Amino acid sequence: MGLGSFFRPPSAAVVPASRSSAPLPSAAAAPALSLDAAATGLPCRVVGVKSPELAPSWGRWLAEIGFLPGERVTVTTRSVWGGDPLVVRVGQSTFALRRAEAACVRVEPL
């Protein structure tokens, strides 16, 4: 029993990348995700902002500081302790956002 079978369920099939017929995912086909779920260093574009029901002012505040549709945004750093806060670069500005605030921003990978 090799290491590969130890970490993979016995029913999982392994297909070499060169023989796979499935197309590779592209950034254009990727669905929108929340900014708190975006990978660190992945350049994204803001699609929209939606305030949580219990904090309706967050959407306006995020728009005021630059989280507008079409704006380029990147999560540059995450805290080691639970990932909160996130350091986010939007346009030419850098902000620290709580994960709950970043979850309001919908983005798509570039």
Side-chain angles (χ1 to χ4, degrees):
M1 180 198 274
L3 287 177
S5 60
F6 179 77
F7 293 107
R8 183 176 54 248
S11 63
V14 177
V15 178
S18 62
R19 296 182 188 245
S20 173
S21 61
L24 294 174
S26 67
L33 63 144
S34 62
L35 183 59
D36 68 318
T40 302
L42 176 69
C44 296
R45 179 179 300 115
V46 176
V47 175
V49 176
K50 184 172 185 329
S51 300
E53 191 174 304
L54 297 176
S57 63
W58 286 8
R60 185 182 69 247
W61 172 71
L62 287 165
E64 287 174 357
I65 63 172
F67 291 91
L68 299 169
E71 197 67 42
R72 185 181 173 117
V73 62
T74 305
V75 176
T76 60
T77 310
R78 294 177 189 273
S79 174
V80 177
W81 298 282
D84 206 9
L86 294 83
V87 177
V88 179
R89 182 148 181 97
V90 59
Q92 298 297 315
S93 302
T94 303
F95 299 98
L97 296 179
R98 295 177 289 190
R99 288 181 66 192
E101 295 163 342
C104 297
V105 181
R106 302 294 296 169
V107 297
E108 63 184 6
L110 290 177

